[in-house]
Amino acid sequence: NFRRAAEDAGIERIVYLGGLGDRSTTTLSEHLASRQEVGAELARGTVAVVELRAAVVIGSGSASFEMLRYLVEVLPAMVTPKWVDTRCQPVAVRDVLHYLVESLTADVTGRVLDVGGPEVLTYREMMVQYAEEAGLAKRLVVPVPFLTPGLSSRWIGLVTPIPPSLARPLIESLVNDVVVTGEAAADAMPTEQVTY
């Protein structure tokens, strides 16, 4: 519907921010797969499309970041699913805004650009570094094999203001590495990136 409306309105360019994840190496979670399907559907139209696929966005308002932040601030010790050691290339919200704005005029139409920050970290490393930066005591993170996404999302709903209905698709996506493997937005639209 959006693609057709954009065509009917004479829109010149669509800039779409979706989710990073490499389908060629693994099966993506339903959440990440659906975000990439939206990008593919938009590209089927006549309006020029720039698809940006981002890893976890670090900054206020990012649901994934808020979930991580609340968990680290509230829990001095955490029993986590094994996804805590999944690799991620977190990107600062400032850098994402740079790519979104640059995509309006840069010669990048018809391209899918991976958006990640300058470092690859595990979620465990992100939690530990957040605790250090926030001046919190060192956090104990213990991964266990039996925590399901449903159980994890209910737990997150209890200890954070993130509702389980939002937490569940995010948690299911945490099993997928989200690192830059394709054409990088940082190469197409350079900026001095902020580290995690």
Side-chain angles (χ1 to χ4, degrees):
N1 289 336
F2 179 86
R3 176 176 52 78
R4 289 186 191 118
E7 290 170 345
D8 292 345
I11 299 293
E12 294 179 19
R13 183 178 299 201
I14 296 170
V15 178
Y16 170 66
L17 179 61
L20 187 58
D22 187 356
R23 284 184 166 198
S24 68
T25 60
T26 186
T27 301
L28 293 181
S29 70
E30 184 178 342
H31 174 69
L32 288 178
S34 71
R35 295 186 76 183
Q36 292 188 10
E37 289 166 13
V38 169
E41 182 61 37
L42 291 172
R44 287 187 184 96
T46 59
V47 177
V49 175
V50 180
E51 182 180 351
L52 303 174
R53 292 181 178 172
V56 173
V57 177
I58 303 300
S60 182
S62 163
S64 296
F65 175 68
E66 296 293 353
M67 187 169 64
L68 180 139
R69 181 173 73 84
Y70 281 114
L71 287 172
V72 173
E73 289 180 356
V74 171
L75 301 172
M78 289 174 257
V79 176
T80 65
K82 58 186 176 184
W83 56 254
V84 76
D85 290 315
T86 300
R87 297 178 321 128
C88 178
Q89 201 163 341
V91 59
V93 67
R94 185 199 83 170
D95 293 342
V96 173
L97 291 172
H98 165 80
Y99 298 128
L100 288 168
V101 171
E102 287 296 309
S103 292
L104 295 173
T105 56
D107 185 21
V108 291
T109 56
R111 291 158 73 179
V112 175
L113 300 171
D114 288 357
V115 178
E119 308 160 281
V120 175
L121 303 167
T122 65
Y123 291 99
R124 181 199 310 251
E125 290 168 331
M126 289 168 59
M127 290 176 182
V128 167
Q129 283 188 36
Y130 181 87
E132 288 172 4
E133 290 299 319
L136 302 170
K138 186 174 181 175
R139 294 324 204 214
L140 176 63
V141 181
V142 180
V144 295
F146 56 82
L147 283 176
T148 66
L151 185 58
S152 297
S153 62
R154 285 189 206 93
W155 172 246
I156 286 170
L158 288 173
V159 298
T160 78
I162 308 294
S165 60
L166 175 59
R168 185 176 184 129
L170 295 175
I171 289 168
E172 288 173 347
S173 297
L174 296 178
V175 300
N176 295 116
D177 284 346
V178 284
V179 296
V180 173
T181 58
E183 185 178 4
D187 294 337
M189 299 172 285
T191 187
E192 185 177 336
Q193 292 186 303
V194 177
T195 64
Y196 178 75

